[in-house]
Amino acid sequence: IRGGDPSEFLALADEFLDADQPKQARLLLEKAIFFNQSDASLAVKLAVASRRDPETRERSSLLFREAENLSGTEGPAGDPIFLQEFAEVLLEAAQPPAAEPRLGAAIRAFPAEQKKETAAAMRRLAGIWKEQNRNAEAADSLLQRADSLDPR
């Protein structure tokens, strides 16, 4: 792609990510960002692709923060996949208090038909609470809800 509308870049990046080719998605989005530096949707998708790409995984934290700042909470950074991936970045950086609200927002943002993804986010949040010996009843309730959405 030599140029084009940000939506075209996003659609192609989604195809790469769906095909488990995060490096190709990341490279494409880096080019797209170069030409569309203020596009929050591109920044959000670049952060996700960078986290999934083993070559850039460790450096993706900054991209998540930049995308969230560019987007604001009501913009593309409210995407449940972005929120869930950002929460994982924060957990890897030993920042569970910052990850919890993002997981909660991801749980609320997933569409009803994405039961498996919603259940995974619920299980992750409940796991954080159990690890920290907090909110035991809420964690158990969340696990029950997750099991009702996606029985293992």
Side-chain angles (χ1 to χ4, degrees):
I1 294 180
R2 292 184 180 212
D5 187 72
S7 63
E8 294 173 317
F9 285 105
L10 290 169
L12 187 53
D14 281 334
E15 289 181 31
F16 281 132
L17 290 171
D18 290 343
D20 199 28
Q21 297 178 350
K23 180 178 181 175
Q24 287 75 9
R26 178 184 56 83
L27 293 172
L28 174 74
L29 290 163
E30 286 173 349
K31 180 177 181 175
I33 289 281
F34 181 79
F35 293 110
N36 303 281
Q37 295 178 6
S38 63
D39 191 293
S41 297
L42 291 172
V44 163
K45 193 68 69 176
L46 175 60
V48 171
S50 294
R51 180 176 185 277
R52 292 182 184 178
D53 181 358
E55 292 179 17
T56 55
R57 181 181 184 101
E58 291 181 13
R59 299 185 310 264
S60 66
S61 177
L62 178 62
L63 293 174
F64 278 95
R65 294 190 189 284
E66 288 174 351
E68 189 174 62
N69 287 336
L70 183 61
S71 167
T73 55
E74 300 299 317
D79 175 72
I81 299 296
F82 174 82
L83 291 166
Q84 191 172 25
E85 295 273 356
F86 194 3
E88 292 300 328
V89 166
L90 292 166
L91 289 170
E92 289 168 3
Q95 298 176 5
E100 288 179 31
R102 287 173 178 88
L103 279 172
I107 291 166
R108 291 185 298 279
F110 274 116
E113 62 272 3
Q114 288 187 292
K115 293 179 180 181
K116 186 172 255 175
E117 293 85 352
T118 304
M122 288 177 169
R123 287 184 179 108
R124 188 68 169 126
L125 182 56
I128 293 169
W129 289 341
K130 286 190 174 267
E131 281 178 16
Q132 297 177 346
N133 295 320
R134 300 186 306 117
N135 302 333
E137 289 181 25
D140 290 339
S141 174
L142 208 52
L143 289 172
Q144 287 176 348
R145 283 183 50 208
D147 288 340
S148 70
L149 289 174
D150 181 39
R152 289 187 178 189

